[in-house]
Amino acid sequence: MSAQVARPAPPARSGAATAIGWILTIGLNVVAPIITYNTLVDDHGWSEFSALLLSSAWPVLDTAISVAWRRKLDEFAIVTLVFIVITAAVSLIGAQSARALLIKDSGVTGLFGLLCLATLLAPRPLMFYFGRKFATDGTPESTAWWNGLWQYEGFRTTMTRMTLVWGIAYVIEAVVRIALAYALSTKTMVTLSPIMIYGVLGALGVWTAMYGKRSQAEGERRAAAAAAAEASAA
């Protein structure tokens, strides 16, 4: 029997389940909190901290739906809640000035980077759970398939390396933005800061997709070569 077998193919995904999962994830974790926060601050004069607390109710709702649907607490939801707590804690620090707010934003992304690096000491790194959230449709079959990939050394290396790169990138991004917040005018940073945030996110997303495909192809080539060598020896 071969010592190295090819990774099992993912189970057929339900198109409806996948679509619903993506809509709920993006809608409740991204769109709804942003709309709620901006509406409360700009139109109703709420404080930044109060608006942040109320807008965080949407990811909590996503967590509740995930628990009710899957009958367990999803690790992605836990990370989301941890990130909310980090953001709320950072929002309480420092004077309420424009520069302080810019530094706080940098602190949040920097803490996320440190969170990525910290999970390298955990049994499974953060990108394993992010990958499972977006590479599966949440059904028991697809979740079991993703969890089963952890037995392969190449897959573990890929998840660990992705987490390391994301962590280092966001720590560096935070340090650079904090330095620029002191070096440049507030007006310039208000424009530059979101460009840096989404630019780094976009670059990391593209790199992650390309590296993931390359790692998968490499794993399949190694498995095929091992199988061919065993067949030749037999």
Side-chain angles (χ1 to χ4, degrees):
M1 191 172 186
S2 175
Q4 180 176 5
V5 297
R7 296 179 185 177
R13 301 176 63 179
S14 167
T18 301
I20 292 174
W22 274 97
I23 291 172
L24 286 177
T25 297
I26 296 175
L28 296 179
N29 288 281
V30 180
V31 178
I34 291 175
I35 293 176
T36 301
Y37 178 85
N38 291 334
T39 300
L40 293 176
V41 172
D42 298 337
D43 299 339
H44 299 283
W46 283 43
S47 68
E48 179 191 29
F49 182 68
S50 298
L52 178 63
L53 285 181
L54 189 60
S55 62
S56 66
W58 293 108
V60 172
L61 176 60
D62 181 48
T63 301
I65 294 174
S66 176
V67 171
W69 182 18
R70 303 183 184 183
R71 305 299 183 186
K72 66 177 182 177
L73 187 61
D74 185 86
E75 291 85 355
F76 183 85
I78 296 176
V79 171
T80 300
L81 293 178
V82 170
F83 192 70
I84 291 172
V85 172
I86 291 175
T87 305
V90 171
S91 69
L92 292 174
I93 301 174
Q96 297 299 315
S97 66
R99 175 167 288 158
L101 292 177
L102 291 170
I103 294 174
K104 288 176 185 180
D105 288 341
S106 303
V108 170
T109 56
L111 287 173
F112 175 75
L114 292 177
L115 177 63
C116 288
L117 297 178
T119 62
L120 294 174
L121 302 177
R124 298 183 183 184
L126 186 59
M127 285 302 128
F128 171 84
Y129 300 107
F130 272 54
R132 189 175 66 184
K133 178 70 174 180
F134 295 104
T136 70
D137 57 9
T139 59
E141 294 79 12
S142 61
T143 300
W145 161 75
W146 183 264
N147 292 342
L149 294 178
W150 187 252
Q151 66 182 295
Y152 300 102
E153 181 181 358
F155 181 81
R156 296 195 299 270
T157 299
T158 298
M159 293 297 105
T160 300
R161 190 165 296 168
M162 285 181 176
T163 304
L164 177 64
V165 170
W166 277 69
I168 292 176
Y170 268 113
V171 169
I172 293 176
E173 184 266 355
V175 171
V176 171
R177 274 205 296 144
I178 290 174
L180 291 177
Y182 285 101
L184 302 177
S185 67
T186 300
K187 182 178 180 180
T188 301
M189 281 304 299
V190 167
T191 302
L192 182 61
S193 186
I195 294 177
M196 292 182 64
I197 293 174
Y198 292 109
V200 170
L201 178 61
L204 285 173
V206 171
W207 174 82
T208 299
M210 294 177 62
Y211 177 67
K213 291 181 179 179
R214 185 169 67 248
S215 298
Q216 181 180 4
E218 179 63 23
E220 292 173 350
R221 282 196 297 269
R222 289 179 179 178
E230 181 175 337
S232 177

